[in-house]
Amino acid sequence: MESPEAQWASTRTPSSRPASQKSARSSRSERSNQSSRTTEQTPLLAREDRSDDGQEEGTHTPATTSLLRSLSGSGGSGKTPLWKKRWPSILALVILCLVIVGIMLGFLATEGIEEYAMQAADFKPTKLSLDGLVDQGARVHVEGDFTMNASKVKKSSVRNLGRFGTWIAREAETGPFDAHVYLPEYGNVLVGTASIPSIKVNIRNGHTTHISFITSVQPGSPDGIRNIANDWIDGRLGQIRVKGKAEVPLKSGLINIGKQVVEQSMVFKGGDIPTLPHYNITKLNIHEAKHGRKGMAADAAVVVTNDFPVQITLPAVAVDVSIDGCSSDKQIFVGTAETSQLEVKPKTDVEVNVFGNVAHLSDSLTEMCPNSAKSPLDAFIGDYMKGDEATIYINCCKFPDPNTPDWARDLLKDITVPVPFAGRDMGSLIKNFTMADLHFSLPDPWAEPGTPAASPKISAVINVDVGLPNEMNFPLEVNQVKADADIYYKNKKLGKMDMSKWQKANSTRIDAHDKEGPSLLVKSQIKNAPIEILDDDLFSEVVQALIFGGKSVMLDMKATVSVGVNTPMGNFAIRGIPAKGSVPVKRS
């Protein structure tokens, strides 16, 4: 038998072949024909391998050649199926797919997706409306836009993996679940529970999904909510941590990821904590009570700023109104106020019509405080008239509508809200202060120093023109008056007039005319009111002018006037009204 090299050489040289070589060539020709027929049903790779056999056979043993042919599929007597020849490639492709799916599922079920989702997810509410109150809570309609923004993710590895994973997953859908909100710093008290329906969103980076759903919100512990509300109202809430927890069924396409426990805490500090909205009192009318009520009534229109996308229908509500008492930690009841049903629209200022009633004034409101010359009512009215910001306290809440759920009554009861009450600068409340028929009496030169007889005295008729605010449209009568005045001569302080005892008075109302508003003309007569001299030399100059001048002496007065008034809600005093004027003095 010839070597493979000799066979290859004989096929390359067609001339001068012996008979034995012809026999070998005939045998090889038959094998070549058979191989040609086989290659029509054999993969191209096998045919290519076989075409190179002649070149490789020169360097391999027969056993090696047989092994190579068996691996290439050209050896053997039977035909090999295609899938058996490609099973390594198919297996590799299947493994690759499983790896990709495993990566996706592992990413979605591990901290990676949680970190990416919490940082990239952006939800902007566009509308929040209350669809109605029910026995156990409220139905709330929520609308907003959900967007995945990968640029907000800090870690590049999480950001890249998140973008890749969400690009493949495309959409995510939650099943119905309950979300619970807690306050860890307040004993982990439950604030409320919201029942969220199934939601489907596009989770690819940069895609926005508009979400609209109705959720049922059930409030948690009323006592816990009131505690946090009181701390917020009193300004003790520097920061607050809110923890949300939910067990969310999650799937992406046909892949059911299962229930995922989502727990997230958020800390709100300083400016992140909402404050009481700004408001403006656009109308205030105080008048005598009507419809069988006693005392005085007040109608007010208040415009409240609403910067939130909230739409809600608030039921009619009644509150108690108080002001500061003699001690700062005690409030004194003044009257009641109520509103009708209120419609709040998203990002639209709200006009609230308030109706108040003051049936009568309690003694604790009008009596002077210990170690003070003012009552709580004096202090409040004084701040208001000076243009300073007074404070009223709203004690919430009563609901006239019997259909209001009990949970709303329990939640809002015993909550007191301090409301700044902007005053009006009424420095010109007393438009004129004069003394008519004023007589100046010199002291008795033989009187013992320090006694009333040793002081000069003034007798006069006091005229006080009190300007009334346009809001005061109720009967008002002044029945007594007193005043403390500093007396000046030639811009130098001469002395003080102390009229500490109440003097009888009467008043006449003058209706508004032209540009002048209504006013009250008060008259009171004083006799021999003592004057404390503070500058003896200046007093001697005044005496000389009275005795030797032969004409009146003009004195300037800066006074603090108190008036006792009679109103439909009772008698009380308004103290500390500033006044000033010039008074001509004659010797008596």
Side-chain angles (χ1 to χ4, degrees), residues 122-127 143-147 208-211:
D122 183 20
F123 179 72
K124 294 181 178 179
T126 57
K127 183 179 179 181
E143 292 187 16
D145 295 325
F146 176 84
T147 306
T208 299
T209 305
H210 183 73
I211 299 174

Side-chain angles (χ1 to χ4, degrees), residues 71-90:
L71 291 175
S72 65
S74 59
S77 58
K79 296 181 179 180
T80 305
L82 178 62
W83 67 269
K84 288 186 177 181
K85 300 179 183 296
R86 293 295 181 88
W87 70 265
S89 300
I90 296 174

Side-chain angles (χ1 to χ4, degrees), residues 148 229 287 503:
M148 294 297 288
H287 55 86
Q503 306 293 321

Side-chain angles (χ1 to χ4, degrees), residues 374 378 385 429-435 462-466 478 480-486 497 499 502 505 522 524 557-564 573-581:
K374 291 185 178 182
D378 293 336
M385 291 190 304
L429 180 65
I430 294 183
K431 297 187 291 185
N432 197 10
F433 178 85
T434 62
M435 290 185 178
I462 297 178
N463 295 316
V464 184
D465 189 2
V466 183
V478 175
Q480 55 185 0
V481 63
K482 64 179 182 178
D484 296 327
D486 292 331
M497 183 185 72
M499 194 173 66
W502 287 103
V522 180
S524 179
M557 305 190 73
K558 294 182 179 179
T560 300
V561 180
S562 301
V563 294
I574 302 177
R575 299 175 176 87
I577 307 174
K580 63 182 179 177

Side-chain angles (χ1 to χ4, degrees), residues 367-414:
E367 291 178 350
M368 288 189 297
C369 296
N371 303 321
S372 174
K374 291 185 178 182
S375 69
L377 184 61
D378 293 336
F380 178 83
I381 295 178
D383 290 342
Y384 179 79
M385 291 190 304
K386 288 185 295 185
D388 295 338
E389 199 172 72
T391 303
I392 61 175
Y393 298 89
I394 305 299
N395 193 306
C396 194
C397 283
K398 301 174 184 175
F399 297 94
D401 188 355
N403 294 324
T404 304
D406 291 337
W407 67 263
R409 303 176 190 272
D410 295 338
L411 184 64
L412 297 177
K413 71 178 182 181
D414 299 331

